[in-house]
Amino acid sequence: MIPRSLRIEPAFLLTVRPGEGEGGGYSGTAALLGCAVNDPEAIAADAEAFRRAVRGGLPYRPLYVKLKLIWACNLRCAMCNHWREPSQTPMGTDRLLALIDELAGLGCRKIHISGGEPTLRPDLEVLIARMVGQGIRATMTTNATLIDARRARALIEAGLHKVNVSVDGPTAEVHDRVRGVPGAWERTVQGIRALRYWLTRPNSVRLNTVVNPLNYLSLRDLPDFARRLGIDRLQLIPVDAHTEEVETLTVPQIRRFNREVAPIFARKALAWKLICHRREAYPFGRDGGAVRAGERGHYARGYYDRHRCYAPWTHALVDHLGRVSVCCMTVNQPVMGDLRVQSFAEVWEGAMYTQLRSCSGRPALEACRHCDMFLAHNRRLEKLVRPMPWRWLPL
């Protein structure tokens, strides 16, 4: 399991009760596919204000917020704790609508909806419509098993911009083994078809696949599966070990994946424009150091031992109860604030975020070593914050 210490003043460390810790199965590599995670273009247009915020440890804008609407899930994924751990009643519709309005006022440009399984919430379309009405792009991750033609149409008419569907393999045998529910693969396929029918915008239907010891050898055929369903993009995500059932891949397994699976996956996926770069077929890296880091789940490959993550200036995660964290790799580790007793602005400008933004240690959070989500954007923002010095050139 990932160590959970924040390297700032001990007084700010918060304990987490059993059942309230990390439950997600993966971190993600969205930056490689060009998602506007930190929106570097928007920040570049406001570069001086962003530099002042970073250098002063001050808040900037929550451009991208991940909203976990619900803890419950209808599947039993081997790498996930959501279905294993009970939780309290999630925030109600009125509180969520007020939160969306507040985020819009603070400059939020994108809200990514997740869970648990967000389609279990009957008010999902109402929430998406409010986001879109406030000028916020609404995207979602789902297992798609509860999406039929009627629900797909309702989601798209509400304004859903993009959907990531979680798929663990190109066959029912592989997928259902990971998901823990017979028939899940078939229902997911039907959900994807319904979404694809109504969501026709380019790059709007993507597959997320967590590469783990249960499925990694099957993924050479994933591009074929995706192409048949009209998928726009594929995203391979290295597994984070949250359960005893699914650990990170070992060095021999990663090397076998790189030797037997990744080259075939890359050739097909590039030919069909399901990925943009060959490196996306190698989520654990290719050189010896990266492979050894991958076995430990250190998917950042040492980047945050030397560099800052800018997520605390541009991003937040809000869980189903209203607890605010920095990102999905640090769910409640620590809790930055609680929307049951605070406004989002009070949390965003509060003591915990201030301490983290001012932290000079590397990495600021131990979980940063395990995160590959913001790497590409952080590299771009690093150049913005620390531009190359002027050099006089000979005439």
Side-chain angles (χ1 to χ4, degrees), residues 84-138:
R84 306 171 201 266
E85 299 176 349
S87 187
Q88 303 170 40
T89 303
M91 285 189 290
T93 305
D94 290 344
R95 180 66 188 94
L96 286 166
L97 292 173
L99 172 61
I100 293 165
D101 293 344
E102 184 183 11
L103 289 172
L106 292 171
C108 181
R109 296 167 61 96
K110 172 183 171 181
I111 294 178
H112 185 77
I113 299 163
S114 70
E117 174 47 47
T119 58
L120 286 169
R121 286 199 64 129
D123 60 355
L124 179 58
E125 290 83 356
V126 172
L127 299 172
I128 290 172
R130 179 62 68 90
M131 296 172 197
V132 176
Q134 288 284 20
I136 298 173
R137 179 185 297 182

Side-chain angles (χ1 to χ4, degrees), residues 194-316:
L195 288 165
R196 180 76 285 177
Y197 180 83
W198 290 104
L199 194 55
T200 58
R201 184 185 301 108
N203 294 333
S204 57
V205 181
R206 304 184 177 195
L207 295 189
N208 288 348
T209 298
V210 179
V211 185
N212 64 72
L214 301 178
N215 70 354
Y216 75 104
L217 292 178
S218 74
L219 300 183
R220 60 171 66 91
D221 296 324
L222 191 65
D224 307 80
F225 168 78
R227 192 187 190 204
R228 289 196 300 270
L229 289 177
I231 297 299
D232 297 308
R233 288 285 187 268
L234 282 177
Q235 184 170 297
L236 296 183
I237 300 166
V239 66
D240 292 318
H242 292 303
T243 72
E244 294 181 357
E245 293 177 46
V246 178
E247 299 291 337
T248 56
L249 270 68
T250 64
V251 167
Q253 288 173 327
I254 295 173
R255 287 175 175 162
R256 186 178 182 188
F257 176 85
N258 287 351
R259 183 176 64 252
E260 300 179 13
V261 178
I264 299 172
F265 178 97
R267 175 174 54 79
K268 295 177 180 178
L270 284 170
W272 299 328
K273 295 181 170 52
L274 295 169
I275 60 175
C276 299
H277 304 285
R278 185 177 179 82
R279 65 176 177 269
E280 295 168 51
Y282 296 84
F284 304 97
R286 301 179 69 177
D287 63 71
V291 169
R292 289 189 294 274
E295 184 179 46
R296 301 192 302 274
H298 288 185
Y299 304 128
R301 303 168 197 169
Y303 180 83
Y304 297 116
D305 292 339
R306 304 179 301 276
H307 302 278
R308 161 188 286 137
C309 176
Y310 296 99
W313 283 268
T314 61
H315 176 55

Side-chain angles (χ1 to χ4, degrees), residues 15 33 153:
T15 58
L33 293 178
R153 180 177 181 177

Side-chain angles (χ1 to χ4, degrees), residues 325-366:
S325 304
V326 180
C327 69
C328 59
M329 285 300 294
T330 63
V331 179
N332 303 327
Q333 307 293 334
V335 176
M336 309 304 286
D338 192 330
L339 301 183
R340 290 171 290 190
V341 295
Q342 298 170 281
S343 68
F344 184 89
E346 289 172 333
V347 177
W348 188 246
E349 299 166 5
M352 289 295 293
Y353 261 113
T354 299
Q355 285 285 313
L356 184 57
R357 294 181 186 122
S358 301
C359 179
S360 59
R362 296 288 180 271
L365 295 164
E366 175 61 25

